[in-house]
Amino acid sequence: MKRIILVYGLIAGTIVGSMFFITMPLYEKGILTMENGELVGYSTMIVALSLIFFGIKSYRDNHLEGSITFGKALKVGLLITLIASLIYAITWEIIYNTMTDFVTQMGDKYFEKLRAEGTTQAEIDEYKAIYENPFIRFAMTLMEIAPVGILISLLSAGLLRMRGFLPPSSNN
């Protein structure tokens, strides 16, 4: 089980982490904006975290003779989510601390949006101060991806606990 969790978690984390670097030039050229960037980001998370399903299925089919409980499937899914989420948050920390021009530009665009929505400068300044704390920033970054992984883990566990759902191939 550990190997499956590690492999699928690392692959999912690498996909979501690398998307920061792949999409960064698209933001700088104005192709991506805050609005459509969120769509791209969450779509990438869904694609990457679909590996949760395949990780649970692999564990069920190759180690449990095609049968898994909801609890065990959920555990595998949540552990894959944890690894992918940690890689995602670590990648953001690297970007945040090394690519300051990009981070500043993205922050400025975000704060412009908040001002347009009626947020006061004092509230923005308070948010900036809170976000400077690396522990809070890391937790906030985890909270971007973890709910997606939790949802996919729940759905995958529910589907894959059914013995007849995508049964193992006879070649196994």
Side-chain angles (χ1 to χ4, degrees):
M1 179 165 81
K2 289 178 187 175
R3 179 168 160 61
I4 287 173
I5 291 166
L6 191 60
V7 167
Y8 284 88
L10 288 173
I11 294 170
T14 300
I15 292 169
V16 291
S18 65
M19 282 309 289
F20 281 125
F21 298 103
I22 292 169
T23 59
M24 204 173 299
L26 301 176
Y27 281 105
E28 291 169 351
K29 292 178 182 175
I31 297 168
L32 285 180
T33 63
M34 290 287 290
E35 292 77 23
N36 63 14
E38 286 179 7
L39 178 63
V40 170
Y42 280 103
S43 297
T44 301
M45 287 179 198
I46 291 169
V47 169
L49 294 173
S50 68
L51 288 168
I52 292 167
F53 177 88
F54 296 105
I56 295 169
K57 184 173 182 340
S58 175
Y59 182 61
R60 177 194 77 174
D61 295 352
N62 298 317
H63 299 280
L64 300 176
E65 299 175 9
S67 179
I68 193 167
T69 64
F70 179 84
K72 189 166 288 269
L74 183 60
K75 178 181 175 183
V76 171
L78 292 177
L79 289 171
I80 292 170
T81 297
L82 176 63
I83 292 170
S85 297
L86 288 171
I87 292 171
Y88 177 80
I90 289 167
T91 303
W92 176 247
E93 281 301 307
I94 292 168
I95 289 169
Y96 185 84
N97 288 294
T98 60
M99 301 178 176
T100 54
D101 289 343
F102 174 77
V103 171
T104 301
Q105 289 173 6
M106 291 303 295
D108 290 346
K109 289 177 185 175
Y110 178 69
F111 296 132
E112 283 175 27
K113 179 182 170 190
L114 289 179
R115 280 186 204 94
E117 294 171 355
T119 306
T120 67
Q121 188 60 45
E123 292 169 322
I124 291 171
D125 291 343
E126 183 180 347
Y127 177 80
K128 284 180 181 179
I130 290 170
Y131 200 74
E132 284 300 311
N133 181 318
F135 297 107
I136 292 174
R137 186 176 54 247
F138 194 83
M140 290 172 74
T141 307
L142 286 175
M143 291 310 299
E144 291 174 12
I145 188 171
V148 178
I150 292 167
L151 180 61
I152 292 172
S153 295
L154 286 166
L155 290 169
S156 299
L159 290 170
L160 291 167
R161 72 175 169 73
M162 297 184 288
R163 194 167 183 78
F165 186 78
L166 293 176
S169 65
S170 58
N171 298 3
N172 287 348

